[in-house]
Amino acid sequence: MIQQHKSFKEQFQYQTGGWKYSALVRFLLFLALWLLLYFSFAGKLIPERYDIQLNVASEKTIWAPEPLENEKATLKAQDEAAESVDPVETFVSLTNENLVQGLYDKLEQLNADTQVTFDDKVNIYRRELPQKREEFINAFLRSGATTSIHSESLLAEVKKGITEQEYRFPEDAFFKLPRLSNEDLEAMRPVTVDVVNEIMKDERPDAQAARAQVAEIVNTSNLTKNTQRKMVQEIARFVITPNVFFDKQATEEARAQARENTPAVMILKGEELVKKGEVITKEKYELLNEAGLLRDKVNYMPQVGLILLVTLMVLLLVMYIMQRSPTLTENNSRLAMLVLIYFLNIMAMKLVSIGQTPEFPLAYLAPVALGSMLITLLLDIPLAFLSSVLFSLAASIIFNTGYEVIFDFRIGFVSLLVCFSAIFALHKASQRSTILKAGVMVCLVGAASVTALNLLSDEYNLRSMLQSISLMIGSGLLTAVLVIGLMPFFEVSFGILSALKLVELSNPNHPLLRKLLTETPGTYHHSVMVGNLSEAAAESIGANGLLCRVGSFYHDIGKTKRPSYFIENQSNIENPHDLIDPKLSKSIIIAHARDGVEMLKDHKIPRPIWEIAEQHHGTTLLKYFYHKARKMLEDEGKDPGEIKEEDFRYFGPKAQSKEAAIVGIADCVEAAVRSLRNPTVDQIESMVQKIIKNRLDDHQFNECDLTLKELDKIAITLKETLLGIFHSRIEYPEDLTKSVKKGEA
């Protein structure tokens, strides 16, 4: 009944009571973050409006609030760029060697035919050689049109170019061709192919110039007969065609691309549009109107853009928190802390930006990594990485003094590097001095990044570079000091248990741990052993191993109120439970969890620690006293059914986190294995599996997000760790023991 009442109360509080669980408060916190970003960026991104009249002198100087395109100048530049593009000529491979092979096939066939007279052969060659070349060209054009490899306009140019540069076979050559023997043709064929390939492999817009090289190449061949060389030259010249042609479509595409690639002629951000006292002409008025600077025609687009920008940034953060950081949506306290960190980080940047000028890069002094370091230490490392991206974007807007773009990529780049380096330096931080080391890392990475940017700049200046490096060093040290100073505030105000705080709580000189050691040494030793087991198990599934270890140190602190009633502290004394009623024993045992929570709260121990102390037993059954009570009723002749299980169960609640569940398993496993005189490997493995299965069957893991796969990993890790702890007491198998005694092993 007590457990049911508590669950109802907790459910009621979650739904109706307290700002920590209110959906409205959560919405207001995200709205506050949205407003923070909006007003932080508004001064940089939303231009001022002016009351300007046509043909009236301006009362003040007006600068361009953002880059503006000069459309007339842009069109002129595009036309000039298109006109400057030379006509595009495309290389077209006609595979002329195939025509060579076809001609030689015809020569060998006809010359070998003795029934055809010499004169007929001459006439056939005079008629069919040009025809074969024409068929070859037409076949290529049809293939190109069918496969769409080349455009129609290019194929038309190919046909035109080949026709215009056609080579006519000399008349006397027609009389020499029939006299060529098969041996002559066999010797001439490869030479002709080589000559054609050698010439046609290069771009040949002028076929006549290419044909002029034929004689020189043929004369270096291995042909010995003059007739062979002469005919090879004629056949090669006949086959050679131009292979580079004007490509109209490609030329038009290149000119269109040149137009697209021509940058718009811009009036730069910050460039003077109107001087004070200058008369506003129609051209100036239209320019001011396009820039949205006229009060009578307000341009709402910058506001809309800024709203979209800030909404996207906040929405990105909201989606990440909902999917990957459910603790922030379940507890508005942590969400409020996150919003406060954003506020502090952005306000620090805004304060530094007051003195920012293009000549003096004061932006490098801003503690941009402040928020990333605090989120890493207090909340979540992946969330810190996402926030680093948002902080870098904010810095690139807030510190932008350039005239070309909204974001200053240099500031954003440096900010992102120092934020990431700070997160890496703080990974698994265990001491406060780690914060100072992270500050030094920010100094080094920041100095290196600004040095790189300065060296890459066309306006490289040694003095400016040294100035930037000095500011980055100051930024790293300032960030470390601010984080060290703010950490206690966040830990106390929001009850956050950081890794640094956990290490401090694990100090054996802590009053509660000293009390545990001096008053209940058995429990202290048990707690240390549970800490070793739970830490290893937690790390095997990616849970917080350090929290498990420190939580284990304190999980049984309630036993210090009645130490002699717990077996690990009963050294050489009689067990007092043998003399009292099982129900009273049950009350004493169960009370240690509630007493421990009260003691931890009194000593201001953070919530996650006392939650482990409260939840490590869940609602498990005290089986020993339950069965003892039933047996006593049986011995008295009464119905043992009067004893109900729920009366001998811990009040709970069940484990709400992986860490609490792991500590509970490790607590039970350590006590069970310690009860064995000489534990063997099989006994340890069986004991671990049995304890986890009993808790699983008892539904003790229903309220935490442990999976069956993770439970298997926990069981394996606990077994391996226990084998390391109890290795000296594990019995050898019988045959191995005999070998050891004989000195064989």
Side-chain angles (χ1 to χ4, degrees):
M1 294 299 293
I2 296 176
Q3 180 63 28
Q4 292 176 355
H5 173 72
K6 187 174 183 181
S7 297
F8 175 78
K9 182 179 179 181
E10 288 180 347
Q11 185 178 7
F12 178 78
Q13 286 180 341
Y14 183 83
Q15 294 179 351
T16 62
W19 67 274
K20 291 184 179 180
Y21 310 103
S22 171
L24 176 61
V25 171
R26 189 157 52 251
F27 171 78
L28 292 176
L29 288 172
F30 282 123
L31 178 61
L33 179 60
W34 190 94
L35 293 173
L36 170 66
L37 295 177
Y38 180 87
F39 287 108
S40 298
F41 301 159
K44 287 284 185 177
L45 303 180
I46 298 179
E48 185 180 355
R49 303 288 182 263
Y50 300 92
D51 185 10
I52 299 295
Q53 300 295 326
L54 189 62
N55 299 322
V56 176
S58 174
E59 297 179 356
K60 57 178 66 177
T61 301
I62 302 176
W63 291 272
E66 58 186 13
L68 301 174
E69 181 180 353
N70 190 330
E71 294 183 359
K72 292 183 179 179
T74 299
L75 289 174
K76 182 179 179 182
Q78 290 175 345
D79 291 339
E80 292 175 353
E83 291 173 2
S84 65
V85 174
D86 294 329
V88 176
E89 293 186 335
T90 301
F91 176 83
V92 179
S93 176
L94 279 76
T95 61
N96 300 59
E97 66 272 14
N98 293 336
L99 177 58
V100 173
Q101 299 289 1
L103 293 178
Y104 273 96
D105 289 342
K106 183 65 177 178
L107 289 171
E108 289 179 355
Q109 176 189 356
L110 191 59
N111 284 3
D113 193 345
T114 57
Q115 296 181 0
V116 181
T117 64
F118 180 84
D119 292 337
D120 289 339
K121 289 180 182 180
V122 170
N123 292 329
I124 291 173
Y125 288 139
R126 186 182 291 115
R127 180 180 68 254
E128 292 192 5
L129 289 187
Q131 183 178 341
K132 275 193 168 294
R133 182 174 63 181
E134 184 177 357
E135 291 175 352
F136 170 77
I137 299 302
N138 290 335
F140 172 81
L141 295 175
R142 286 195 301 272
S143 174
T146 303
T147 59
S148 300
I149 297 176
H150 303 295
S151 64
E152 293 183 4
S153 60
L154 178 58
L155 293 175
E157 288 293 331
V158 171
K159 185 174 183 179
K160 177 183 176 184
I162 292 176
T163 303
E164 291 177 350
Q165 300 188 45
E166 181 180 354
Y167 180 80
R168 297 188 178 278
F169 216 82
E171 184 65 24
D172 62 325
F174 290 122
F175 291 90
K176 295 178 182 179
L177 290 175
R179 294 189 176 92
L180 295 173
S181 66
N182 284 340
E183 290 77 10
D184 292 332
L185 293 174
E186 288 178 2
M188 292 165 56
R189 182 193 290 258
V191 175
T192 309
V193 171
D194 291 341
V195 170
V196 172
N197 286 337
E198 177 68 21
I199 291 177
M200 296 303 293
K201 71 180 181 179
D202 298 324
E203 293 185 356
R204 300 293 181 179
D206 184 2
Q208 186 61 32
R211 291 167 185 144
Q213 302 176 19
V214 171
E216 181 181 354
I217 299 174
V218 172
N219 290 334
T220 60
S221 69
N222 57 2
L223 295 176
T224 57
K225 295 180 179 180
N226 185 54
T227 303
Q228 292 177 344
R229 291 197 296 271
K230 289 290 185 182
M231 295 313 300
V232 165
Q233 293 178 27
E234 293 302 333
I235 294 173
R237 292 188 183 110
F238 180 73
V239 171
I240 289 173
T241 60
N243 59 10
V244 177
F245 306 93
F246 169 69
D247 193 336
K248 180 180 179 181
Q249 180 175 329
T251 302
E252 292 176 352
E253 291 175 355
R255 287 173 178 170
Q257 189 65 39
R259 289 178 178 275
E260 292 180 5
N261 293 339
T262 301
V265 178
M266 304 297 293
I267 298 173
L268 301 180
K269 180 179 179 180
E271 186 175 335
E272 189 179 83
L273 297 178
V274 177
K275 293 182 179 180
K276 183 179 180 180
E278 181 182 353
V279 176
I280 304 299
T281 62
K282 184 178 180 180
E283 182 180 352
K284 290 285 186 181
Y285 189 86
E286 290 177 353
L287 188 60
L288 294 172
N289 186 34
E290 291 176 6
L293 297 175
L294 299 182
R295 190 166 294 171
D296 58 343
K297 189 175 182 180
V298 179
N299 181 11
Y300 291 102
M301 292 302 103
Q303 286 91 336
V304 174
L306 179 56
I307 289 172
L308 286 175
L309 174 64
V310 174
T311 301
L312 289 173
M313 293 175 68
V314 175
L315 188 60
L316 177 64
L317 185 64
V318 171
M319 289 190 296
Y320 174 85
I321 290 173
M322 292 180 66
Q323 295 184 13
R324 302 298 300 274
S325 296
T327 54
L328 290 177
T329 58
E330 294 170 359
N331 189 337
N332 291 335
S333 175
R334 293 201 168 195
L335 183 58
M337 182 176 64
L338 177 66
V339 174
L340 179 57
I341 291 174
Y342 269 75
F343 175 80
L344 292 174
N345 204 34
I346 291 178
M347 286 301 101
M349 289 191 282
K350 291 291 288 184
L351 288 174
V352 175
S353 70
I354 296 175
Q356 170 79 354
T357 63
E359 295 77 21
F360 188 65
L362 196 62
Y364 294 134
L365 181 62
V368 181
L370 170 64
S372 300
M373 292 172 69
L374 288 173
I375 295 173
T376 300
L377 294 169
L378 299 171
L379 290 172
D380 182 40
I381 291 179
L383 179 60
F385 279 113
L386 175 61
S387 298
S388 296
V389 175
L390 298 181
F391 291 146
S392 301
L393 288 174
S396 66
I397 295 174
I398 293 173
F399 293 108
N400 182 22
T401 57
Y403 302 144
E404 295 83 8
V405 291
I406 295 174
F407 303 96
D408 187 330
F409 82 93
R410 296 164 300 181
I411 301 297
F413 172 73
V414 174
S415 299
L416 191 63
L417 285 184
V418 298
C419 288
F420 277 15
S421 64
I423 295 172
F424 291 134
L426 289 175
H427 181 60
K428 294 185 178 180
S430 59
Q431 298 179 355
R432 300 278 173 181
S433 60
T434 309
I435 299 176
L436 185 58
K437 295 178 182 177
V440 174
M441 180 65 73
V442 170
C443 296
L444 296 177
V445 173
S449 59
V450 297
T451 299
L453 292 176
N454 275 275
L455 293 177
L456 291 170
S457 174
D458 293 334
E459 300 176 358
Y460 165 71
N461 183 282
L462 179 61
R463 179 181 177 182
S464 175
M465 184 175 71
L466 294 177
Q467 188 181 66
S468 299
I469 292 174
S470 301
L471 290 172
M472 281 308 313
I473 294 174
S475 172
L477 299 178
L478 176 61
T479 303
V481 170
L482 289 174
V483 173
I484 292 173
L486 289 171
M487 277 292 293
F489 164 75
F490 283 104
E491 289 173 341
V492 174
S493 301
F494 294 93
I496 294 299
L497 187 58
S498 65
L500 303 180
K501 185 67 174 179
L502 282 171
V503 172
E504 292 176 357
L505 290 173
S506 67
N507 190 332
N509 291 320
H510 190 281
L512 283 180
L513 294 184
R514 293 293 300 172
K515 179 180 179 67
L516 188 68
L517 175 61
T518 57
E519 297 181 10
T520 56
T523 300
Y524 179 83
H525 179 264
H526 162 72
S527 299
V528 172
M529 297 291 285
V530 172
N532 293 333
L533 293 172
S534 62
E535 182 178 33
E539 290 180 349
S540 71
I541 65 169
N544 191 335
L546 183 57
L547 175 59
C548 286
R549 170 179 283 276
V550 179
S552 299
F553 290 168
Y554 291 91
H555 81 288
D556 276 343
I557 195 68
K559 292 181 179 180
T560 57
K561 286 199 172 183
R562 305 173 187 86
S564 61
Y565 284 88
F566 299 92
I567 191 169
E568 67 266 23
N569 300 314
Q570 295 169 2
S571 178
N572 300 321
I573 63 172
E574 186 178 1
N575 190 342
H577 291 290
D578 296 337
L579 307 176
I580 61 177
D581 185 78
K583 292 184 178 180
L584 179 59
S585 296
K586 175 265 301 184
S587 299
I588 294 173
I589 297 298
I590 288 178
H592 87 274
R594 182 177 61 250
D595 294 338
V597 173
E598 293 175 356
M599 294 175 65
L600 293 171
K601 287 182 178 180
D602 291 340
H603 282 77
K604 308 299 182 184
I605 300 299
R607 182 187 185 96
I609 299 295
W610 60 256
E611 281 184 341
I612 289 177
E614 181 183 38
Q615 300 168 12
H616 75 280
H617 282 297
T619 59
T620 54
L621 176 67
L622 287 169
K623 293 183 179 179
Y624 176 81
F625 295 109
Y626 169 68
H627 292 296
K628 181 179 178 181
R630 289 177 60 90
K631 190 172 187 313
M632 288 179 63
L633 285 183
E634 288 180 1
D635 293 342
E636 296 174 3
K638 298 180 181 179
D639 181 13
E642 296 179 8
I643 303 298
K644 298 180 180 179
E645 274 195 14
E646 56 264 27
D647 294 335
F648 282 82
R649 285 185 177 272
Y650 282 91
F651 294 138
K654 296 178 182 179
Q656 304 295 303
S657 65
K658 291 182 180 181
E659 289 76 14
I662 291 171
V663 172
I665 296 171
D667 176 52
C668 191
V669 166
E670 197 280 333
V673 174
R674 183 162 36 83
S675 67
L676 301 175
R677 293 191 58 187
N678 293 301
T680 64
V681 174
D682 292 338
Q683 286 177 324
I684 289 177
E685 185 172 6
S686 175
M687 185 71 72
V688 172
Q689 294 288 352
K690 180 180 178 181
I691 289 172
I692 292 179
K693 185 178 185 302
N694 288 343
R695 291 213 167 200
L696 186 63
D697 293 341
D698 197 26
H699 308 293
Q700 295 301 314
F701 305 134
N702 285 11
E703 298 180 19
C704 64
D705 53 353
L706 275 176
T707 64
L708 293 176
K709 184 177 181 180
E710 289 174 334
L711 287 174
D712 287 339
K713 288 184 179 180
I714 290 171
I716 294 171
T717 305
L718 288 175
K719 182 191 72 173
E720 293 174 349
T721 308
L722 286 167
L723 291 178
I725 294 174
F726 294 101
H727 64 89
S728 61
R729 297 165 55 188
I730 295 176
E731 297 177 355
Y732 286 93
E734 183 178 354
D735 56 344
L736 184 57
T737 305
K738 292 178 181 179
S739 299
V740 172
K741 289 180 180 179
K742 292 178 181 179
E744 297 175 1

